[in-house]
Amino acid sequence: MPRFTHPTEVAVLQTEVVIIGAGAAGLMCAFTAAARGRRVLLLDHANKAGKKILMSGGGRCNFTNLYTEPANFLSGNPHFCKSALARYTQWDFIDLVSRHGIPYHEKKLGQLFCDNKASDILGMLIDECQQAGVDLRLDTAVQCIDKTEIGFCLQSDAGELHCQSLVIATGGLSIPTLGASGFGYQVARQFGHTVLPTRAGLVPFTVTDPSLKAMCEALSGTSVEDCQVTCNGQSFRENILFTHRGLSGPAILQISSYWQPGDVVEIDLLPHLDLPTWLDEQRHERPNTELKTLLGELFTRKMATLLAEHWFESRPLKQYGKAELEAIAERLARWQLVPAGTEGYRTAEVTLGGVDTREVSSKTMESQKVAGLYFVGEVLDVTGHLGGFNFQWAWASGYAAAQHV
């Protein structure tokens, strides 16, 4: 990985574009703007660019999704994302990846991952920045920003910076151990922007109900491969994972973005089965089989035993009436729980809410309140589903701003 400049002396620097935040959106914006001939200074307070890229997708970076469309995004202004997503698509980014010879594969549901490591994607972005002449400075925090007649004046660890265009690509609050902060929201408020309430998204649930907590702890690490999870009219069908603290897994992370404290979450543990019919058939075909033994064919043996102990009284199937089997099927298909909360920003993949997009141009990402000020990526109130959609928003919004800075 090439090394870039670290600040050693205080100076006054004039440039055309300053981008704060060397994550996915900031890197994309930087090399795209520089390729247009703009002089670009990219700053990050961290000691390394793209830290979130490196840890994403289990270290393999789920860099986009084949099925990206506006319906995969949450926002208080749902039409906002359409323009940028249409002008820089998943196919455009896939073409960039292919040009760099990075091997990748579709894991499932259109999710594209690197065959090797996430550092392939970060290395590609850094290479593009180098080739385009981007000045990337790490370990460089910005203390204050003022508007000037011709642009902006920034006080930073690299000295006083003057620029015509300023891009805020600082991300959200998720995973503070990687350097996440509310800096972008502070800048937005400073210049009169509305910042919509933020909360953790794509995040595991925690539980405190004693019996449920005991079950989750006992099943920690157990995955149920095909579940349908529903809340507030939204449903996702994917696997769930029991943890010591509660519930996780793709279906849970997805629904967490639609959940509010106190809401009921409903889980169908066996959406692929017509359970009432199947149970009745089993009762006739295998009348002496115990319920927990039968459930052990659908779940792990440990989970089947716990379900039989906590939810049902396990008896030979011939001892159940049809109504009792229907009640068992109903419980498995409509398991309802009220999470105590979520694990919060500590483990959340994204931040919901952020800079109100009604005050930002959907074509250029420029502030409608302050000329020359741009917002890209997660700092905006645009949040994608799990599966590469948030990266695609970073690429698309960064590219959109880069055409105009």
Side-chain angles (χ1 to χ4, degrees):
M1 183 72 62
R3 300 291 292 173
F4 286 83
T5 309
H6 286 254
T8 55
E9 58 184 37
V10 174
V12 177
L13 180 63
Q14 302 233 7
T15 190
E16 292 175 325
V17 183
V18 169
I19 301 171
I20 306 178
L27 288 163
M28 169 61 80
C29 187
F31 73 73
T32 307
R36 289 179 50 233
R38 302 292 281 166
R39 283 185 291 116
V40 178
L41 176 60
L42 176 59
L43 309 176
D44 202 296
H45 68 280
N47 61 0
K48 192 169 190 176
K51 285 188 174 183
K52 207 169 176 183
I53 295 172
L54 291 176
M55 60 78 66
S56 66
R60 290 199 172 183
C61 188
N62 178 194
F63 56 82
T64 193
N65 194 293
L66 294 174
Y67 307 121
T68 301
E69 56 184 43
N72 298 121
F73 296 85
L74 293 81
S75 175
N77 180 16
H79 296 294
F80 178 82
C81 66
K82 292 180 178 179
S83 176
L85 290 172
R87 285 178 294 123
Y88 191 87
T89 70
Q90 60 270 41
W91 311 112
D92 294 314
F93 194 78
I94 291 166
D95 182 56
L96 179 62
V97 170
S98 298
R99 290 205 310 271
H100 280 258
I102 296 172
Y104 65 90
H105 61 278
E106 179 185 355
K107 189 173 179 182
K108 58 179 176 179
L109 304 173
Q111 302 166 10
L112 298 189
F113 286 78
C114 295
D115 285 358
N116 301 318
K117 293 182 178 179
S119 55
D120 287 353
I121 296 295
L122 180 57
M124 175 190 76
L125 299 171
I126 296 287
D127 286 348
E128 289 283 335
C129 284
Q130 277 195 315
Q131 291 169 24
V134 173
D135 183 359
L136 170 58
R137 303 201 182 192
L138 303 172
D139 285 326
T140 304
V142 174
Q143 287 79 40
C144 68
I145 302 170
D146 293 303
K147 186 76 178 74
T148 66
E149 285 186 10
I150 59 167
F152 300 88
C153 174
L154 291 71
Q155 301 299 328
S156 78
D157 292 348
E160 187 172 298
L161 311 174
H162 293 264
C163 63
Q164 298 165 8
S165 299
L166 176 63
V167 182
I168 305 301
T170 50
L173 300 170
S174 51
I175 319 183
T177 53
L178 295 181
S181 75
F183 181 81
Y185 306 136
Q186 295 170 26
V187 174
R189 291 189 183 100
Q190 175 189 338
F191 289 106
H193 277 268
T194 304
V195 177
L196 300 175
T198 57
R199 60 190 176 90
L202 300 181
V203 63
F205 286 136
T206 58
V207 299
T208 53
D209 176 78
S211 62
L212 180 55
K213 187 170 176 59
M215 189 167 84
C216 288
E217 287 175 348
L219 292 173
S220 181
T222 299
S223 177
V224 184
E225 291 306 313
D226 181 21
C227 296
Q228 183 154 309
V229 182
T230 303
C231 183
N232 288 324
Q234 291 289 330
S235 291
F236 292 95
R237 188 164 168 174
E238 257 271 31
N239 70 306
I240 68 169
L241 176 71
F242 290 91
T243 74
H244 279 290
R245 293 166 59 86
L247 290 168
S248 187
I252 295 296
L253 298 184
Q254 294 278 37
I255 209 66
S256 72
S257 294
Y258 294 89
W259 177 83
Q260 295 282 358
D263 287 344
V264 173
V265 174
E266 184 173 288
I267 302 175
D268 183 348
L269 291 167
L270 298 161
H272 55 286
L273 266 184
D274 177 356
L275 267 178
T277 301
W278 186 78
L279 286 172
D280 196 45
E281 288 172 352
Q282 300 306 306
R283 181 181 58 160
H284 287 97
E285 293 172 13
R286 300 189 288 171
N288 294 315
T289 302
E290 274 218 23
L291 178 63
K292 68 179 179 182
T293 304
L294 189 68
L295 294 179
E297 297 172 11
L298 302 173
F299 308 107
T300 65
R301 189 176 300 173
K302 187 175 186 180
M303 183 171 172
T305 301
L306 279 167
L307 289 175
E309 289 174 358
H310 284 264
W311 291 2
F312 320 113
E313 182 186 344
S314 185
R315 308 193 301 269
L317 294 176
K318 65 185 178 184
Q319 293 183 19
Y320 293 96
K322 189 172 182 180
E324 286 179 293
L325 290 179
E326 287 176 351
I328 290 168
E330 176 78 1
R331 184 71 194 269
L332 292 169
R334 298 191 63 186
W335 174 26
Q336 295 189 337
L337 64 137
V338 179
T342 73
E343 291 192 6
Y345 294 119
R346 182 180 65 85
T347 60
E349 297 203 15
V350 291
T351 304
L352 293 154
V355 177
D356 191 342
T357 58
R358 282 173 281 248
E359 300 166 354
V360 176
S361 165
S362 63
K363 181 181 179 184
T364 66
M365 303 292 130
E366 186 176 17
S367 163
Q368 293 178 352
K369 293 177 174 288
V370 179
L373 178 64
Y374 297 78
F375 297 94
V376 296
E378 192 182 346
V379 73
L380 288 160
D381 173 37
V382 177
T383 305
H385 289 166
L386 188 72
F389 300 105
N390 287 291
F391 272 128
Q392 187 57 40
W393 172 245
W395 316 137
S397 60
Y399 180 88
Q403 307 305 311
H404 300 276
V405 294

